[in-house]
Structure formats: C-alpha cells, structure tokens
Amino acid sequence: MLYLGFSNVHMEKLIVISSQKQSIIDCKTNEKTYCGENYDEADLIALAEGLGDEIIPIAGEGGGGLRRSSKEGNLLDAAAPFWPKELVIFMPSSVSWYSQPEKCTVLLEDYEIKAFGFSRCGNYMAVGTSSTLDIFRKQETRM
C-alpha cells in the first residue's frame, strides 16, 4: 500500500493506492472496485471513477494525513515505545494513552505504518502498512 484516502462525500468509501493498482473499498459492505490510477503524489490528492469529480486527500508514503479524531471525540495516535516498531492506538473520548493505557486499544503494531485515520463520519478507521490494510467499523447500537 502506498496511499489511503477517505471520500468526504461518500464517507464509507476508501481509496487505496498500491504499486499495482488503485481501488475503492466500500467500508460498509467490504466490496472492492478497481479503477484507473489517478493520483498526484505532489499534491497528495486522488480522483476515482465512481466518485464523480471529488478530489480526495490521500496520505501515505509521500506524507499527508487522515483525520486523527472523530466527531465523538475518539482519537487515533501513533507511538513507538519499542522502536523501531510503531503502534497505532485507539483512544476513546476523554481518554489518553499516556495516562490510561488500559482503556485504549492497540489497533496495529508494525515496523512500517504508512497511514491511518478516521473517515469524515467517524464510523470507519483504516490503518495501512507497506503490506497490509486493516479497516475497522464502528459497531451499530440497537435500541
């Protein structure tokens, strides 16, 4: 994986750019659709067939950044207490990894984390390394 980016219009859609292809993953259904490569590493943006003219910000190998917080106040952060391995940590609202690590969740531990972040709606999180992609979905609450 080289780059990731969430659509700001179709908030369940994740653009994934690898050295072989570009695809759109529907985080709600897990459906993957391949599309033509159309991204700019200098401006860290991508376009994708099926998402209209939306310019999607991407993050990964060449920099950039995805949302590190959700509208509910949940946070994602990276730490390297056992460098060179890095951790991607989920912190629920009003909780800090540094003062309450027992209330946090380590989502991934790896040597080469490329990008991680929330979708605009906060229902999805993605963590990408040079060889893996993990997508997390917020659990729906039932009344």
Side-chain angles (χ1 to χ4, degrees):
M1 193 230 43
L2 299 173
Y3 293 98
L4 293 177
F6 279 106
S7 168
N8 287 315
V9 176
H10 307 278
M11 292 178 247
E12 72 283 357
K13 305 287 186 175
L14 176 69
I15 302 298
V16 180
I17 301 165
S18 72
S19 59
Q20 291 92 21
K21 58 190 155 265
Q22 179 172 317
S23 59
I24 303 169
I25 297 176
D26 185 317
C27 296
K28 193 173 192 177
T29 65
N30 295 323
E31 180 183 343
K32 183 190 289 188
T33 306
Y34 294 102
C35 55
E37 281 189 12
N38 192 357
Y39 66 99
D40 185 325
E41 289 182 284
D43 290 330
L44 296 168
I45 57 171
L47 296 167
E49 299 161 14
L51 297 181
D53 293 333
E54 180 184 6
I55 296 172
I56 299 164
I58 57 175
E61 194 167 89
L66 301 177
R67 286 178 174 80
R68 299 284 178 101
S69 61
S70 72
K71 62 184 177 181
E72 297 167 333
N74 300 318
L75 300 172
L76 292 174
D77 200 2
F82 307 108
W83 189 86
K85 274 195 168 181
E86 291 180 272
L87 308 175
V88 175
I89 304 156
F90 172 81
M91 295 175 279
S93 182
S94 302
V95 173
S96 169
W97 162 258
Y98 304 100
S99 62
Q100 298 173 301
E102 70 281 358
K103 293 185 178 180
C104 301
T105 303
V106 174
L107 299 178
L108 184 76
E109 183 176 350
D110 200 277
Y111 290 101
E112 194 175 356
I113 297 169
K114 297 279 190 179
F116 61 92
F118 286 99
S119 62
R120 181 176 177 192
C121 62
N123 292 337
Y124 309 100
M125 297 178 287
V127 181
T129 70
S130 58
S131 60
T132 64
L133 173 64
D134 292 313
I135 299 171
F136 302 88
R137 183 178 23 217
K138 180 179 167 185
Q139 288 185 336
E140 294 180 21
T141 55
R142 297 182 187 189
M143 301 193 123

